[in-house]
């Protein structure tokens, strides 16, 4: 049971808490009432605001829509005004640009092209929007007039500023430096830079807007004329310079571009020049094989004069194997070779210029047309050379081959560059050079064959035979001609190979040496063909010399003639590369010539038998020493002395007028004959010189042994 005090305290505590709770509850009720009141007030305010907002919206929205409509109307007005201004501007284009178009683009291309752009836009506008408008016709006419002015300006710029390339500059362009040095490219400025830029701009405008390709024809016609005139100018300059001072040469041009690969210098043909140098060496040095570096044998005295005469005739005789080959012809050959090189260089330069001016898809065709005149001129001149060569060969004027050789060699050397330059041109254009090369190879091979036949069939003209038995004109001509082939071995071999002359020379075609695709021959095969050809010429020459030697009534003079010619041929072969070429197909040629020479010496020595036979021991009378000679024996001894003396005097008189130009051979033959005669005469004189066979011994014993030797030493010497 809880004590009353605790219960009372507990009761008071509960009452206090109850009182506090009631107070809290009362506070909450008051708060709720206030909150409800505030809520009612807020709802009332919001309802009022909503009502007012709706009223505002109803009044603002119509104003906004009206304003938006006004703004749209304003924009439409502005656009309309702008369009009107734009359209009106097209109607003013003609009047605004007419003066500029009328005055032309000269000096103000930029402004002129701007005016043409305006006219172009006006034309497009009227075509799209008002095709029946008279303004369309007006701007069209103005556009056409402006386009014609641009075309005229293009032609004017090209005509006024396209200059012929000077021969001096062309020569610098094609001249070569040392192979170890880098050659600097000679710059070619076909058009001034400013003019070139104007030409390019006009070209691009005409292509894009003018829709006219006539200017391309204008371009190639003008540039074609300049190219052709440049090459012709070089040819004329070359002729004048060559006639006055030799090889034309120009000083280096200071402004040169770098990083250009070097190329070999153009080799001038030098064919007739070499012959003239040989002739000069004859006259200056006697061709002693020492001074002047001659490739021929030594000549002296009357033989020297005879050889100079023959060489002169070889160069100038209109009917000889080397006829007609003069300085003028040589200059023409050199000029043509230089013009070929000039064409390649100038055509390359023209293509570089054309790439800037002509649209890409028209470049090849325009370039093809541009080079035709110059190329046709070169080809025509080449065909004229071929035609002249054919006519000359018919006349047996084999100097023609000396013209064809250097040209053909140069054409072949230049062909890769030609092919590169003509890449992309028409097939007819590409085939022109190969056609000319084929023609030259054909006529060259014909000339070689006819020359060989002419050597074989040269008639035996008595008046043309050297009276002293020296080297015949035919021999010197043949050797001189063959020596020219040394400068053109590959060309000559290729000439023969191009005609497939293997059957002619009985040389089988080795598949390893030929290409069925191009019918091209290896250098080894061509070399064998050339060797066989040279051997054929030498064989024909030998046969002809044998025939000619029969013209001489004296077998000894015939032997001297053959000896001189064989010796001349052998020495000429030995002192040049001809012997190496001959040895390719004929290993024993040198030994064969030596045998022929020795054989002729022996034949000559037999001419002295009629002298030595008088005093030969087998023909002498036999008698006992101390026994008086009978009249018959004395008469026989007299006859032997007289026969020897007369024979010696006759032979020395005759043979003194003969010639052996080779000093070594001359001394050898004299010495051998002197030994034989002196030995025989010495024995005879020793045996019968003291025999009393006559009362006048000085009448029969006319010569001492030493005198006989001196007389023989004066053989083959007209100055003695």
């Amino acid at each position: 049971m809880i004590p009353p005090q605790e219960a009372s305290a507990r009761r008071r505590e509960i009452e206090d808490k109850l009182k506090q709770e009631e107070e809290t509850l009362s506070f909450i009720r008051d708060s709720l009432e206030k909150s409800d009141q505030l809520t009612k007030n807020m709802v009332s305010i919001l309802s009022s605001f909503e009502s007012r907002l709706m009223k505002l919206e109803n009044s603002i929205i119509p104003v906004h829509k009206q304003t938006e409509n006004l703004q749209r109307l304003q924009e439409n007005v502005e656009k309309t005004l702008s369009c009107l201004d734009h359209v009106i501007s097209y109607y003013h284009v003609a009047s605004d640009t007419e003066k500029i178009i009328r005055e032309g683009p000269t000096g103000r291309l930029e402004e002129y092209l701007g005016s043409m752009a305006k006219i172009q836009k006006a034309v497009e506008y009227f075509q799209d929007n008002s095709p029946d408008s008279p303004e369309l016709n007006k701007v069209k006419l103005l556009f056409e007039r402006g386009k014609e002015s641009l075309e005229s300006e293009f032609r004017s710029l090209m005509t006024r500023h396209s200059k012929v390339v000077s021969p001096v500059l062309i020569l610098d362009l094609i001249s070569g430096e040392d192979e170890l040095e880098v050659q600097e490219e000679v710059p070619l400025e076909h058009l001034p830079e400013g003019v070139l830029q104007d030409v390019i701009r006009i070209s691009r405008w005409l292509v894009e807007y003018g829709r006219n390709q006539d200017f391309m024809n204008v371009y190639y016609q003008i540039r074609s004329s300049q190219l052709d005139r440049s090459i012709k100018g070089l040819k004329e300059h070359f002729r004048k310079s060559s006639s006055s001072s030799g090889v034309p040469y120009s000083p280096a041009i200071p402004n040169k571009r770098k990083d250009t690969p070097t190329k070999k210098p153009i080799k001038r043909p030098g064919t007739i020049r070499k012959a003239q140098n040989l002739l000069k060496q004859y006259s200056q040095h006697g061709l002693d094989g020492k001074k002047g570096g001659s490739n021929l044998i030594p000549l002296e005295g009357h033989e020297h004069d005879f050889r100079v005469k023959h060489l002169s005739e070889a160069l100038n005789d209109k009917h000889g194997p080397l006829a007609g080959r003069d300085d003028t012809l040589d200059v023409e050959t050199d000029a043509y070779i230089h013009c070929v090189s000039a064409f390649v260089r100038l055509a390359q330069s023209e293509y570089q210029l054309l790439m800037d001016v002509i649209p890409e898809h028209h470049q090849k065709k325009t370039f093809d047309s541009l080079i035709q005149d110059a190329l046709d001129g070169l080809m025509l001149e080449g065909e004229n050379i071929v035609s002249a060569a054919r006519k000359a060969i018919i006349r047996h004027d084999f100097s023609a081959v000396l013209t064809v050789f250097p040209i053909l060699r140069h054409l072949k050397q230049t062909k890769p560059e030609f092919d590169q330059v003509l890449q992309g041109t028409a097939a007819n254009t590409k085939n022109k050079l190969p056609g000319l090369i084929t023609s030259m190879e054909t006529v060259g091979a014909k000339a070689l064959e006819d020359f060989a036949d002419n050597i074989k069939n040269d008639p035996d003209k008595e008046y043309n035979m050297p009276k002293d038995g020296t080297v015949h004109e035919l021999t010197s001509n043949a050797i001189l001609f063959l020596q020219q082939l040394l400068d053109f071995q590959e060309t000559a071999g290729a000439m023969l190979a191009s005609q497939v002359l293997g059957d002619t020379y009985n040389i089988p075609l080795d598949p390893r040496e030929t290409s069925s695709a191009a019918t091209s021959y290896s250098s080894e095969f061509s070399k064998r063909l050339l060797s066989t050809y040279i051997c054929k010429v030498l064989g024909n020459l030998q046969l002809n010399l044998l025939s000619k030697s029969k013209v001489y009534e004296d077998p000894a003079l015939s032997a001297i003639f053959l000896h001189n010619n064989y010796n001349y041929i052998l020495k000429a072969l030995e002192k040049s590369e001809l012997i190496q070429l001959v040895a390719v197909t004929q290993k024993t040629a040198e030994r064969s010539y030596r045998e022929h020479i020795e054989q002729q010496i022996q034949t000559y020595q037999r001419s002295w038998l009629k002298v030595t036979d008088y005093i030969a021991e087998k023909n002498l009378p036999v008698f006992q020493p101390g026994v008086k000679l009978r009249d018959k024996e004395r008469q026989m001894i007299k006859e032997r002395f007289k026969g020897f003396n007369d024979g010696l005097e006759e032979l020395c008189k005759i043979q003194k007028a003969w010639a052996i130009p080779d000093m070594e051979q001359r001394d050898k033959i004299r010495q051998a004959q002197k030994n034989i005669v002196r030995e025989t005469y010495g024995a005879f004189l020793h045996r019968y010189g003291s025999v009393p066979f006559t009362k006048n011994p000085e009448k029969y014993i006319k010569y001492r042994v030493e005198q006989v030797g001196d007389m023989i030493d004066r053989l083959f010497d007209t100055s003695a």
Side-chain angles (χ1 to χ4, degrees):
M1 185 169 184
I2 301 173
Q5 293 176 350
E6 289 181 8
S8 178
R10 179 77 177 243
R11 182 177 179 183
R12 285 193 301 270
E13 183 180 353
I14 291 172
E15 289 177 352
D16 290 338
K17 287 184 179 180
L18 179 60
K19 186 178 181 180
Q20 289 177 357
E21 291 294 334
E22 289 176 351
E23 291 176 355
T24 301
L25 179 60
S26 177
F27 176 77
I28 290 173
R29 286 175 179 169
D30 292 340
S31 295
L32 285 174
E33 289 177 358
K34 290 179 180 180
S35 176
D36 289 340
Q37 185 63 40
L38 290 173
T39 299
K40 290 178 181 180
N41 292 338
M42 181 59 68
V43 170
S44 175
I45 292 170
L46 289 175
S47 296
S48 175
F49 181 76
E50 182 180 5
S51 174
R52 292 180 179 182
L53 190 60
M54 289 179 64
K55 291 179 180 180
L56 180 62
E57 182 178 352
N58 292 332
S59 62
I60 290 298
I61 285 178
V63 174
H64 174 72
K65 289 182 177 179
Q66 187 177 7
T67 302
E68 186 178 6
N69 290 335
L70 290 174
Q71 288 177 344
R72 190 178 297 112
L73 289 174
Q74 183 180 3
E75 290 177 358
N76 289 338
V77 170
E78 290 177 353
K79 288 181 179 179
T80 301
L81 291 174
S82 176
C83 289
L84 286 173
D85 290 340
H86 182 66
V87 171
I88 291 172
S89 68
Y90 289 131
Y91 285 87
H92 293 293
V93 164
S95 59
D96 292 344
T97 59
E98 185 175 7
K99 181 180 179 182
I100 296 175
I101 300 303
R102 184 174 62 252
E103 293 176 352
T106 304
R108 51 175 179 178
L109 181 61
E110 187 72 27
E111 181 183 4
Y112 192 90
L113 291 178
S115 297
M116 289 299 295
K118 292 179 181 179
I119 298 172
Q120 173 70 16
K121 290 180 181 180
V123 171
E124 293 173 355
Y125 171 80
F126 288 119
Q127 283 178 337
D128 294 338
N129 298 281
S130 184
D132 297 329
S133 171
E135 293 296 330
L136 176 59
N137 294 331
K138 190 173 183 179
V139 292
K140 271 188 174 181
L141 290 174
L142 195 59
F143 182 81
E144 290 301 322
R145 188 190 306 169
K147 185 172 69 172
E148 290 174 1
S149 294
L150 283 172
E151 292 172 351
S152 177
E153 179 70 4
F154 183 89
R155 179 188 296 273
S156 176
L157 289 174
M158 292 297 302
T159 303
R160 284 188 289 114
H161 297 282
S162 290
K163 304 298 182 183
V164 174
V165 183
S166 70
V168 172
L169 187 56
I170 295 176
L171 288 172
D172 280 324
L173 185 67
I174 63 178
S175 65
E177 304 292 339
D178 189 272
E179 293 183 23
L180 300 179
E181 298 178 358
V182 176
Q183 180 191 355
E184 296 182 349
E185 183 181 350
V186 178
L188 281 182
E189 187 180 68
H190 295 292
L191 295 172
E193 184 61 28
V195 174
L196 176 60
Q197 293 306 316
D198 286 350
V199 167
I200 292 172
R201 293 198 63 185
I202 295 175
S203 167
R204 291 176 180 174
W205 189 94
L206 290 173
V207 171
E208 185 175 358
Y209 301 107
R211 295 176 178 83
N212 189 348
Q213 298 179 8
D214 291 344
F215 78 95
M216 300 181 196
N217 297 333
V218 171
Y219 177 86
Y220 89 71
Q221 289 169 2
I222 294 174
R223 294 309 309 168
S224 175
S225 174
Q226 300 303 324
L227 175 61
D228 191 41
R229 289 171 58 194
S230 296
I231 294 176
K232 289 179 178 177
L234 171 65
K235 185 176 181 181
E236 187 63 28
H237 172 81
F238 193 92
R239 289 173 179 171
K240 292 179 180 178
S241 299
S242 297
S243 62
S244 61
S245 59
V247 182
Y249 177 75
S250 57
I253 302 299
N255 263 335
K256 292 187 176 182
R257 300 173 187 169
K258 297 183 179 180
D259 305 325
T260 304
T262 184
K263 62 182 188 300
K264 294 182 179 179
I266 295 174
K267 294 183 179 179
R268 307 187 68 218
T271 49
I272 190 64
R273 205 163 286 115
K274 174 184 268 189
Q276 290 170 336
N277 289 339
L278 290 174
L279 178 59
K280 190 179 296 183
Q281 290 168 10
Y282 272 116
S283 60
Q284 291 179 350
H285 311 302
L287 294 175
D288 57 6
K290 297 178 182 178
K291 189 173 183 180
S294 168
N295 286 332
L296 304 180
I297 62 174
L299 303 174
E300 293 182 353
H302 62 286
E303 166 60 9
H304 163 251
D305 297 333
F306 182 81
R307 292 297 304 117
V308 171
K309 174 177 177 290
H310 276 188
L311 266 181
S312 300
E313 292 173 350
L315 297 173
N316 300 314
D317 181 12
K318 293 184 178 179
H319 304 289
L322 298 177
R325 183 72 182 165
D326 56 17
D327 283 335
T328 301
L329 187 58
D330 201 42
V331 168
E332 291 292 332
T333 300
D334 288 357
Y336 184 74
I337 287 175
H338 280 74
C339 287
V340 169
S341 296
F343 172 81
V344 173
R345 295 290 172 263
L346 292 177
Q348 289 172 341
S349 180
E350 286 292 345
Y351 191 75
Q352 293 299 319
L353 177 65
L354 178 142
M355 290 173 65
D356 293 330
V357 179
I358 304 300
E360 183 177 357
H361 53 288
H362 292 286
Q363 289 174 0
K364 294 295 184 182
K365 182 179 179 181
T366 305
F367 181 70
D368 196 340
S369 301
L370 188 154
I371 62 174
Q372 283 305 313
D373 286 348
L375 181 59
D376 287 345
L378 284 177
M379 296 302 107
L380 177 61
E381 190 171 351
E383 290 297 340
N384 288 340
I385 292 172
V386 172
S387 178
R390 290 196 183 101
K391 294 177 182 178
I393 291 170
I394 295 175
R395 301 192 306 269
H396 298 293
D397 171 11
F398 296 102
S399 65
V401 77
L402 301 180
T403 303
V404 171
F405 266 74
I407 293 175
L408 178 58
R409 179 176 67 180
H410 187 68
L411 289 179
K412 285 189 171 183
Q413 290 173 345
T414 313
K415 187 177 181 298
E417 292 181 280
F418 246 99
D419 293 341
Q420 184 178 6
V421 169
L422 301 182
Q423 187 177 4
T425 57
N428 181 54
T429 302
K430 293 179 182 177
N431 293 334
K432 288 181 179 179
L433 180 65
L436 178 59
I437 289 176
T438 300
S439 297
M440 286 195 170
E441 284 185 330
T442 302
V443 76
K446 172 67 174 172
L448 290 175
E449 285 302 298
D450 283 14
F451 179 80
D453 293 340
N454 185 74
I455 293 297
K456 180 179 180 179
N457 301 319
D458 184 69
D460 300 327
K461 301 175 182 177
E462 293 186 16
Y463 68 84
N464 200 32
M465 293 293 291
K467 296 180 180 180
D468 55 2
T470 189
V471 180
H472 195 276
E473 176 186 1
L474 181 68
T475 303
S476 63
N477 287 339
I479 293 300
L480 183 61
F481 184 88
L482 293 180
Q483 284 178 332
Q484 307 310 309
L485 298 185
L486 293 177
D487 290 336
F488 306 100
Q489 294 184 39
E490 293 183 6
T491 304
M495 268 185 187
L496 299 172
S498 69
Q499 306 305 308
V500 196
L501 298 178
D503 293 338
T504 303
Y505 296 124
N506 298 318
I507 297 179
L509 300 180
D510 190 335
R512 293 171 298 178
E513 295 180 328
T514 63
S515 168
S516 59
T519 321
S520 60
Y521 298 83
S522 70
S523 58
E524 184 61 30
F525 178 71
S526 299
K527 189 174 184 179
R528 285 197 288 126
L529 273 180
L530 183 58
S531 173
T532 306
Y533 171 78
I534 293 174
C535 292
K536 177 182 178 180
V537 172
L538 293 176
N540 290 349
L541 177 60
Q542 185 173 341
L543 290 174
N544 201 314
L545 290 173
L546 283 171
S547 176
K548 290 182 184 300
S549 67
K550 297 175 183 178
V551 171
Y552 296 110
E553 296 179 359
D554 191 334
L557 180 56
S558 177
I560 290 297
F561 170 77
L562 290 175
H563 164 273
N564 285 333
N565 282 271
Y566 291 156
N567 186 62
Y568 178 89
I569 295 171
L570 177 60
K571 290 297 179 66
L573 294 178
E574 289 178 335
K575 293 185 178 183
S576 68
E577 295 179 16
L578 283 173
I579 193 65
Q580 285 86 357
L581 270 177
V582 170
V584 171
T585 55
Q586 196 173 101
K587 306 292 185 183
T588 61
E590 186 175 358
R591 184 180 66 188
S592 176
Y593 272 110
R594 294 192 186 281
E595 290 175 354
H596 288 321
I597 292 170
E598 190 59 35
Q599 181 181 357
Q600 298 308 319
I601 292 176
Q602 293 174 5
T603 301
Y604 162 75
Q605 288 176 341
R606 284 196 288 271
S607 68
W608 282 82
L609 290 178
K610 62 182 179 181
V611 176
T612 56
D613 277 353
Y614 281 105
I615 57 176
E617 186 175 355
K618 62 181 180 179
N619 296 324
L620 297 177
V622 179
F623 60 90
Q624 295 295 329
V627 178
K628 185 178 180 180
L629 295 175
R630 292 175 294 179
D631 291 341
K632 182 179 179 180
E633 292 173 339
R634 286 196 299 270
Q635 185 61 33
M636 183 177 292
I637 293 174
K638 290 179 182 179
E639 290 176 356
R640 294 293 181 266
F641 269 108
K642 186 177 186 303
F644 173 78
N645 292 335
D646 292 346
L648 176 65
E649 291 170 356
E650 180 184 2
L651 282 185
C652 287
K653 180 181 179 181
I654 293 173
Q655 295 184 8
K656 184 175 68 171
W658 297 354
I660 299 180
D662 187 331
M663 183 184 299
E664 181 181 348
Q665 287 290 314
R666 182 168 66 242
D667 292 343
K668 174 184 175 182
I669 292 174
R670 283 173 175 172
Q671 189 62 42
Q673 199 59 53
K674 185 167 63 173
N675 291 341
I676 294 172
V677 175
R678 286 178 59 179
E679 181 180 353
T680 306
Y681 181 65
F684 176 76
L685 194 60
H686 177 74
R687 185 168 186 177
Y688 295 100
S690 57
V691 174
F693 65 91
T694 179
K695 295 180 180 180
N696 301 309
E698 65 277 358
K699 179 180 178 181
Y700 298 98
I701 307 176
K702 296 174 63 175
Y703 303 104
R704 299 189 308 274
V705 174
E706 293 76 11
Q707 288 178 307
V708 172
D710 291 341
M711 292 174 68
I712 295 176
D713 280 336
R714 289 193 292 272
L715 297 179
F716 317 117
D717 186 359
T718 56
S719 62

